[in-house]
Amino acid sequence: MSGTFVGMPAFPPPTPHPAFPVAAREAVRDETLRGNLRHATHTIRAKRAKAVAEVSDWAELREAGKRIKDHTLRHLDRYLEQLEESVTAAGGTVHWAADADEANRIVTELVRATGESEVVKVKSMATQEIGLNEALEAEGIHAYETDLAELIVQLGKDRPSHILVPAIHRNRAEIRDIFRTEMSEWGRPAPEGLTDTPAELAEAARLHLREKFLRAKVGVSGANFMVAETGTLVVVESEGNGRMCLTLPETLISVVGIEKIVPTWRDLEVFLQTLPRSSTAERMNPYTSTWTGTTAQDGPQTFHLVLLDNGRTDTLADEVGRQALRCIRCSACLNVCPVYERAGGHAYGSVYPGPIGAILSPQLRGTQSEIDASLPYASSLCGACYEVCPVAIDIPEVLVHLRERVVEGGQVIREGNKVTLRPAKGHAAERAAMRAARWAFTRPGALRTGQRLASRTRRLHPRTLPGPGKAWSDSRDLPPVPREPFRDWWQRTHGENGGKGGAK
């Protein structure tokens, strides 16, 4: 075996990731990538719309999910303490991790204590966020991804590019080639004569993973939800691989962000309706696994819950940005985003791509790096992401809010090996333009003079903008300047007093 999948850049990235415009410009040149993304996102989008249309009270469910999440976030400290008490009472052990390094250290020590050198993993965004696979590999512990899409990414020494479908940028022929050439290095090789039909690819993955499920003594997972009143964790999936990881190993370690908590089972019922329809366009998930602590002679006999902060408390302190913590990782916003569809997930430089990543990553990591300072601008602000979000996160509002933060804090500029923080030129020009507009609008005489001058010289105005603005105006018509300003027209047609004969 050659090594463990290294995933997306850790928080923060170990090496400087280029700003989004630079990475996106390279991605859009890949016609195969764009074709794969277009086909996949349009298919998922259409199925989701149909599934949601079946529910007559979708708007009410959406509002209920929003309110439950907002209430929980306002009282997060109380519910986390309740969760810890419930998990402990059920036979589990709770660990608190302030950041990625602490979480990785805790998990590594827990695996070492078992004497094992292999773990099987349930698909987990939190473990990708902290770079757990790399941390385990550094200590000689091999982590095997068992979700089909994550397996494809791992075998291909690739990076996930979608929250729900990490290998969305791959087509079936590429997957077949990866299985043929890489499976033997990780375990059972691919069957002879493997084709790119879905059934054969799925069977190859099943055979490859089965030996790992039966051998593994330690499982690692995340969780979609945690129920505070009982200490129950919930994982929803479509394949059943997650359930194998959650039930067969002797030890289970779950790494979960602190925002994944809900107060009661009754609250959970709302999300078990909205999450599957928003993500996989299913009425309910084929596999919904729940576990509460440990049970003698049934499932893992040792359970550890690692509660991860890693920037979430700082995000919670932002009254506008905290709504990003409502996210239930359905990926609906990615599937409708015109920017994501063309650029793909890798350009975002984060385990959280697309619209939600553009507001979540800069809050968890800060806006000091080049990539994080650019992410709030990776959007057309069309609002499609807000319309499909099952917990009503106003992503455009948060994007604008974060743009303000970037402007106030400056931007990281990389010049060779030197990295400096200074205001971006575009932002300085924008501030200068706003100052000039404020000066003109507070001086009516100067404004009228400027309007008259613009009208009299309108024949000389260019049809397109110069410099960087040319690309924008090449596909848009600049509004023509009228023959005379509105104020002059009003005075000419209505007189100084607003009408013929003056005011009565």
Side-chain angles (χ1 to χ4, degrees):
M1 173 171 145
S2 60
T4 296
F5 157 67
V6 296
M8 292 289 282
F11 275 46
T15 56
H17 189 282
F20 181 85
V22 177
R25 189 176 299 115
E26 185 67 25
V28 297
R29 296 193 183 107
D30 188 335
E31 294 184 4
T32 301
L33 171 66
R34 293 185 63 177
N36 294 345
L37 289 170
R38 181 171 57 252
H39 172 73
T41 56
H42 283 222
T43 300
I44 299 171
R45 183 190 314 174
K47 289 182 177 180
R48 177 207 168 273
K50 183 178 179 180
V52 168
E54 295 177 348
V55 183
S56 60
D57 61 345
W58 181 260
E60 289 78 8
L61 284 170
R62 186 176 189 242
E63 180 63 20
K66 172 186 174 182
R67 293 191 178 200
I68 291 169
K69 281 289 188 175
D70 283 347
H71 166 80
T72 307
L73 291 172
R74 284 195 300 269
H75 306 282
L76 189 58
D77 54 346
R78 172 159 58 91
Y79 287 121
L80 285 172
E81 290 178 356
Q82 182 183 9
L83 176 72
E84 181 181 30
E85 294 172 359
S86 300
V87 170
T88 303
T93 303
V94 177
H95 309 262
W96 299 83
D99 54 26
D101 289 341
E102 187 172 10
N104 287 331
R105 177 183 56 77
I106 292 170
V107 176
T108 300
E109 291 177 356
L110 291 174
V111 176
R112 275 179 174 170
T114 67
E116 296 295 320
S117 60
E118 295 181 346
V119 302
V120 288
K121 289 186 65 202
V122 185
K123 181 179 182 299
S124 165
M125 302 298 296
T127 59
Q128 291 176 13
E129 174 188 324
I130 64 176
L132 178 61
N133 286 8
E134 300 98 315
L136 292 175
E137 178 70 11
E139 298 298 326
I141 300 169
H142 305 306
Y144 297 105
E145 298 289 350
T146 64
D147 174 81
L148 177 56
E150 292 285 5
L151 174 65
I152 295 166
V153 170
Q154 183 176 47
L155 292 177
K157 301 177 179 65
D158 200 354
R159 297 176 297 159
S161 63
H162 191 277
I163 290 175
L164 178 68
V165 193
I168 196 172
H169 56 288
R170 296 289 193 182
N171 58 39
R172 291 184 301 177
E174 291 174 313
I175 295 169
R176 176 203 60 205
D177 294 341
I178 289 171
F179 281 8
R180 283 177 173 177
T181 59
E182 302 296 334
M183 268 189 171
S184 59
E185 293 188 29
W186 292 78
R188 180 171 180 151
E192 290 291 333
L194 178 66
T195 72
D196 64 357
T197 61
E200 288 196 28
L201 294 174
E203 177 67 5
R206 187 187 72 81
L207 294 173
H208 178 81
L209 290 172
R210 182 57 55 118
E211 65 177 27
K212 292 180 171 51
F213 289 136
L214 296 177
R215 186 176 67 226
K217 302 296 184 182
V218 181
V220 175
S221 82
N224 295 97
F225 306 101
M226 303 180 291
V227 183
E229 69 175 350
T230 59
T232 302
L233 273 70
V234 183
V235 164
V236 296
E237 52 160 337
S238 299
E239 300 172 6
N241 295 334
R243 181 166 293 180
M244 300 285 277
C245 293
L246 296 170
T247 56
L248 292 179
E250 297 173 0
T251 298
L252 176 61
I253 305 168
S254 299
V255 182
V256 189
I258 57 175
E259 82 281 12
K260 292 296 189 72
I261 193 169
V262 295
T264 68
W265 273 90
R266 184 176 182 179
D267 298 322
L268 178 65
E269 181 263 344
V270 172
F271 301 108
L272 292 184
Q273 294 184 72
T274 56
L275 177 56
R277 291 180 185 270
S278 293
S279 56
T280 56
E282 296 168 301
R283 295 180 179 90
M284 65 180 294
N285 289 99
Y287 296 90
T288 299
S289 300
T290 66
W291 69 98
T292 306
T294 59
T295 303
Q297 299 180 346
D298 183 15
Q301 296 300 291
T302 304
F303 170 57
H304 296 274
L305 171 60
V306 181
L307 291 171
L308 177 68
D309 188 321
N310 205 37
R312 287 158 174 79
T313 299
D314 292 338
T315 303
L316 187 63
D318 188 325
E319 293 185 1
V320 176
R322 70 172 60 151
Q323 58 185 296
L325 297 179
R326 291 187 210 142
C327 179
I328 57 175
R329 309 293 192 265
C330 70
S331 76
C333 62
L334 280 69
N335 300 325
V336 299
C337 178
V339 176
Y340 174 85
E341 180 185 325
R342 288 157 179 80
H346 294 158
Y348 291 82
S350 166
V351 300
Y352 304 111
I356 187 61
I359 65 170
L360 187 58
S361 298
Q363 294 192 87
L364 296 180
R365 304 191 299 203
T367 56
Q368 286 70 45
S369 70
E370 189 174 23
I371 179 62
D372 290 311
S374 69
L375 285 179
Y377 297 88
S379 170
S380 64
L381 300 180
C382 68
C385 49
Y386 170 67
E387 295 298 325
V388 299
C389 178
V391 286
I393 301 173
D394 194 341
I395 293 178
E397 178 188 34
V398 183
L399 286 168
V400 173
H401 172 68
L402 292 176
R403 290 178 185 186
E404 180 182 2
R405 180 188 297 181
V406 171
V407 171
E408 291 176 348
Q411 187 178 34
V412 170
I413 306 297
R414 189 171 62 207
E415 299 170 331
N417 295 325
K418 183 180 180 181
V419 178
T420 58
L421 181 66
R422 67 174 185 241
K425 293 181 179 179
H427 301 148
E430 183 179 357
R431 288 195 297 269
M434 290 299 103
R435 284 195 295 268
R438 180 176 61 186
W439 183 90
F441 285 128
T442 55
R443 292 166 175 79
L447 179 61
R448 176 172 291 187
T449 299
Q451 290 173 334
R452 287 173 174 171
L453 180 62
S455 294
R456 292 170 183 173
T457 59
R458 66 194 188 93
R459 294 180 182 275
L460 303 177
H461 296 176
R463 293 181 179 273
T464 60
L465 295 175
K470 185 177 185 301
W472 187 90
S473 58
D474 278 347
S475 58
R476 298 169 177 82
D477 293 330
L478 291 178
V481 177
R483 292 177 179 275
E484 62 180 332
F486 174 79
R487 291 186 180 191
D488 290 356
W489 173 85
W490 184 267
Q491 182 178 356
R492 178 173 57 80
T493 58
H494 293 77
E496 287 287 355
N497 294 322
K500 188 175 181 179
K504 301 296 185 183

